[in-house]
Amino acid sequence: MKKIFLSLALLGGFASAAPLSLTLSVTDGTKPLVGPLTLPSGGSLNVSEVKLYVSHVALIKADGREVPVRGLTLTKLSSQTGFQNVRIFMGNAPVGEYRGVRFDVGVPRDQNHLDATSAPSPLSIEDGMYWAWNSGYIFMSVLGKTSVAGSEKDVALHVGGDNHRVTVNLADLQKPSTALSVGPQGASVPVTLNLAALLSKGLDGAAWDFSQPQYQQVHMGKVADQLADNARSAFGAGK
């Protein structure tokens, strides 16, 4: 009899699960990204591609408890596919009322140093986000071109490394009302990535200046530290 009740309970648990998706829109400040991104320094960036890993997704209950939603995804947004309302995560979540959602932009530490030559997608070497020389994955990549002194320069901005995992918290525990409802049909949570905020600051309070090579190709070092720090405030809740 106990086994029968256990089976029914498990079936009930599965029946109460619903699809949860996160969608991403890339913005220039408060506006959708359309055309080149203009920086305060006067430079501009023609964005061709944005790629990012999403992991450690969790829904936040009213009392602050986290309800994990399993999954690790890699998504590519490009000038060909568009930068608006692109799904970056899909998982199954319990039906219920929540304050919001929290997730990481990055690969969990226990998966970040796998052998990419044998790992399945989205951690395969064919996915193009593995640093062979650094034994780890690029968590977020922004590619494009900038014009410097009348000539085009390639731009590759990479956030990676265990200390550069970015946690996005879209759960405001100070609000008395529920921010997110997951019904039987599921829910979709819109997220924004503000590229103007991502490139808001360079080293030591200076502007992010594409005329300097250190801001054109970013992988490791102090500029990468600054880029990761900028990324922590560049993600927000969409509408």
Side-chain angles (χ1 to χ4, degrees):
M1 184 65 70
K2 289 182 178 179
K3 289 184 179 180
I4 294 175
F5 283 131
L6 177 59
S7 297
L8 290 174
L10 288 173
L11 287 172
F14 282 116
S16 64
L20 175 76
S21 64
L22 306 180
T23 63
L24 181 67
S25 294
V26 181
T27 69
D28 178 357
T30 59
K31 303 176 296 183
L33 179 68
V34 178
L37 173 76
T38 302
L39 304 184
S41 62
S44 64
L45 175 64
N46 283 297
V47 182
S48 59
E49 178 185 290
V50 176
K51 291 176 73 175
L52 72 165
Y53 282 103
V54 172
S55 63
H56 285 157
V57 177
L59 293 168
I60 312 303
K61 300 289 285 185
D63 60 3
R65 287 182 296 126
E66 294 189 359
V67 178
V69 182
R70 293 173 60 86
L72 167 67
T73 59
L74 171 64
T75 306
K76 174 181 173 180
L77 299 82
S78 72
S79 52
Q80 285 74 38
T81 61
F83 294 104
Q84 306 302 311
N85 300 312
V86 177
R87 190 171 70 188
I88 59 172
F89 180 84
M90 188 73 181
N92 291 313
V95 170
E97 306 296 320
Y98 302 93
R99 290 284 188 179
V101 66
R102 186 176 298 145
F103 64 91
D104 284 354
V105 175
V107 176
R109 182 183 291 269
D110 62 349
Q111 296 175 279
N112 190 34
H113 306 286
L114 299 176
D115 181 359
T117 61
S118 59
S121 187
L123 297 174
S124 167
I125 198 167
E126 282 80 14
D127 290 303
M129 294 287 277
Y130 187 72
W131 272 323
W133 54 272
N134 192 39
S135 182
Y137 290 88
I138 301 167
F139 296 162
M140 181 171 70
S141 169
V142 178
L143 305 181
K145 291 184 180 295
T146 189
S147 180
V148 176
S151 63
E152 279 194 334
K153 300 289 185 180
D154 290 328
V155 171
L157 310 177
H158 292 155
V159 174
D162 291 322
N163 61 325
H164 287 164
R165 196 173 294 104
V166 176
T167 297
V168 179
N169 184 3
L170 304 181
D172 188 350
L173 296 179
Q174 303 304 314
K175 292 182 178 178
S177 60
T178 299
L180 175 61
S181 177
V182 178
Q185 303 304 313
S188 180
V189 181
V191 180
T192 59
L193 170 58
N194 180 0
L195 290 187
L198 181 67
L199 304 179
S200 59
K201 292 182 291 185
L203 294 177
D204 301 321
W208 194 280
D209 186 357
F210 280 128
S211 68
Q212 299 183 42
Q214 66 178 341
Y215 293 112
Q216 297 169 15
Q217 302 289 318
V218 179
H219 307 287
M220 301 293 290
K222 291 184 178 180
V223 179
D225 292 341
Q226 184 63 59
L227 183 65
D229 189 56
N230 292 349
R232 293 185 175 95
S233 60
F235 289 89
K239 295 180 180 179

